[in-house]
Amino acid sequence: MHIYIHIPFCESKCPYCAFGSHSDQFAITKEYFKALTKEIKNIKFNDKISTIFIGGGTPSSVDARLYDEIFEYLRPNLNNDCEITSEANPNSANLKWLNHMRELGVNRLSLGAQSFNEKKLKFLGRIHNSKRVFKAVEDAKIAGFKNINVDIMYGTKLDTKALISSEIQALKELEITHISAYSLMLESEFSSKISYQKDSPILAKYLINSLENIGFNQYEISNFGQICKHNLSYWQGDDYYGFGAYAVGTIGLKRYKGATNLKNYIANPFKKSIEKLSLEDKRSERVFLGLRSIIGVSLSDLSSNMQKTAEILIKERKLILKNGRIYNPNFLLADEIYLYLSQP
Ligand SMILES: C[S@@+](CC[C@H](N)C(=O)[O-])C[C@H]1O[C@@H](n2cnc3c(N)ncnc32)[C@H](O)[C@@H]1O
Ligand code: SF4
């Protein structure tokens, strides 16, 4: 079993970000955690938990002790090798917070750096400088974290090959295990505030090659290095609980989402909006996600029409067939290949 826990608080709201997070709701963090703890404690886990991901928002923006009761409840249900990730912002991931999370059992840290270039950080509206990212990684190592991810973003109008090379150099110096590199995506209402380079496949390819050259193998369109088991479980279509406001969970053919208003969530953490999935929805998700990652797609998930189209792409070496599964050697083309396979 897999668990996602959402922390909807951030020290400041970045203008590009559409995640469920608030910078003006810290007054209700205690009530939020009370509701969150109640929601989690309502579940009797039949299967052992193999991954937990605490995401946000910014999990490090709140006192680490607020997580104590949740871990106390979850601990007896954890697999011995349970991967427990927490996201964090370099600004708030201080040694005290990191030490406490490590003591609770968190064994993977995911830091949102976004860039190491001061101009780009300002452009993105970030509240930390690049030195702070180095300090947070150093502190995470002191606290005992061995599995550390850093998120960066590319595709802003400031990005050039030279800027990307400097980001890669900084990432190399950090000596971490994983890098998530996201191409900047903007919801339309934010587009006027930040401009970005739409469709810059040359820069994307350059970034991917550079990351591979410093030893981070790409295993999904945005992910490189030591595989994150939690993400892998999403892409495989496994069941997972989603706890908290905004959190999405999927159990069988039921996908549900927590309230997107914090006061409503606190009033009733069990109220979810529910989407019924069909077997066809699950199948097409497996195809779509499999093409974006090393998971690949089972031929049995393809309709006979799709299998015929896949054969053409296999001949053209745009897809690779191995043991009844097809694999996409260029994740940047995943969306196009999916559309091509799906045509009637
Ligand atoms: C929940 S945040 C990570 C932790 C923390 N909130 C922070 O930003 O430092 C998850 C990641 O999503 C990425 N992200 C957020 N908005 C994005 C956007 N509009 N386009 C691409 N990536 C985005 C960023 O790299 C960010 O680090
Ligand atoms: S990118 Fe991270 S810190 Fe910025 S608003 Fe989004 S969740 Fe919060």
Side-chain angles (χ1 to χ4, degrees), residues 4 6-7 9-12 14-21 53-60 86-92 110-114 124 126 128 149-154 180-187 190:
Y4 174 77
H6 192 77
I7 310 301
F9 305 104
C10 287
E11 294 114 273
S12 78
C14 308
Y16 54 82
C17 177
F19 283 101
S21 63
F53 196 100
I54 307 172
T58 303
S60 57
S86 178
E87 287 186 333
N89 182 297
N91 222 30
S92 46
S110 178
L111 278 168
Q114 321 314 348
L124 288 169
R126 298 290 292 182
H128 56 84
N149 166 61
V150 163
D151 291 340
I152 60 157
M153 279 165 50
Y154 67 98
S180 296
Y182 298 110
S183 165
L184 177 61
M185 306 254 294
L186 295 174
E187 305 266 314
F190 296 113

Side-chain angles (χ1 to χ4, degrees), residues 35-64:
L36 182 64
T37 309
K38 190 166 141 191
E39 189 195 354
I40 295 173
K41 284 176 122 175
N42 185 50
I43 301 289
K44 302 266 168 289
F45 294 97
N46 295 324
D47 298 331
K48 286 272 178 199
I49 300 162
S50 42
T51 72
I52 300 177
F53 196 100
I54 307 172
T58 303
S60 57
S61 67
V62 301
D63 191 328

Side-chain angles (χ1 to χ4, degrees), residues 48-295:
K48 286 272 178 199
I49 300 162
S50 42
T51 72
I52 300 177
F53 196 100
I54 307 172
T58 303
S60 57
S61 67
V62 301
D63 191 328
R65 287 172 299 187
L66 287 169
Y67 298 94
D68 289 357
E69 199 178 336
I70 294 174
F71 275 94
E72 205 177 292
Y73 180 72
L74 293 178
R75 198 162 289 119
N77 302 296
L78 302 182
N79 253 346
N80 286 342
D81 62 347
C82 185
E83 176 194 89
I84 309 177
T85 303
S86 178
E87 287 186 333
N89 182 297
N91 222 30
S92 46
N94 56 43
L95 192 54
K96 186 173 170 221
W97 187 87
L98 292 162
N99 271 330
H100 195 95
M101 295 304 273
R102 189 69 201 93
E103 276 160 24
L104 286 179
V106 176
N107 51 28
R108 185 173 183 274
L109 188 76
S110 178
L111 278 168
Q114 321 314 348
S115 176
F116 299 88
N117 177 284
E118 303 307 332
K119 217 168 138 194
K120 185 167 153 189
L121 284 169
K122 277 220 169 71
F123 173 80
L124 288 169
R126 298 290 292 182
I127 52 167
H128 56 84
N129 56 21
S130 75
K131 242 175 139 179
R132 194 49 237 166
V133 182
F134 275 86
K135 174 83 173 105
V137 170
E138 194 186 310
D139 285 348
K141 289 182 186 170
I142 295 170
F145 284 95
K146 296 199 166 56
N147 197 357
I148 301 174
N149 166 61
V150 163
D151 291 340
I152 60 157
M153 279 165 50
Y154 67 98
T156 72
K157 70 164 186 186
L158 300 182
D159 282 294
T160 58
K161 276 193 179 176
L163 201 155
I164 286 183
S165 294
S166 68
E167 309 278 34
I168 302 288
Q169 184 53 36
L171 288 166
K172 189 175 166 192
E173 284 167 24
L174 285 174
E175 297 186 354
I176 49 180
T177 49
H178 189 282
I179 293 162
S180 296
Y182 298 110
S183 165
L184 177 61
M185 306 254 294
L186 295 174
E187 305 266 314
S188 53
E189 65 178 295
F190 296 113
S191 307
S192 55
K193 288 197 204 157
I194 282 188
S195 53
Y196 70 119
Q197 300 174 336
K198 285 196 195 95
D199 304 321
S200 178
I202 298 167
L203 272 190
K205 197 78 211 148
Y206 180 71
L207 175 101
I208 292 165
N209 289 342
S210 308
L211 285 174
E212 296 216 324
N213 284 342
I214 61 163
F216 290 87
N217 289 334
Q218 187 185 29
Y219 67 96
E220 195 260 356
I221 192 157
S222 310
N223 287 289
F224 302 80
Q226 186 175 318
I227 293 176
C228 169
K229 291 187 208 163
H230 186 83
N231 285 344
L232 205 68
S233 74
Y234 284 153
W235 306 327
Q236 276 168 339
D238 293 352
D239 282 353
Y240 62 98
Y241 286 105
F243 294 116
Y246 298 96
V248 174
T250 307
I251 304 287
L253 292 176
K254 198 169 87 177
R255 177 155 299 154
Y256 60 89
K257 187 173 182 181
T260 54
N261 170 301
L262 297 194
K263 294 221 163 83
N264 290 348
Y265 174 76
I266 290 165
N268 184 0
F270 303 110
K271 192 159 185 227
K272 307 288 173 192
S273 61
I274 292 172
E275 181 193 354
K276 282 283 283 167
L277 300 172
S278 64
L279 287 173
E280 173 55 24
D281 293 333
K282 289 279 268 192
R283 188 196 60 77
S284 61
E285 268 179 19
R286 281 196 299 274
V287 176
F288 178 72
L289 296 172
L291 290 171
R292 291 166 67 103
S293 67
I294 49 157
I295 291 170

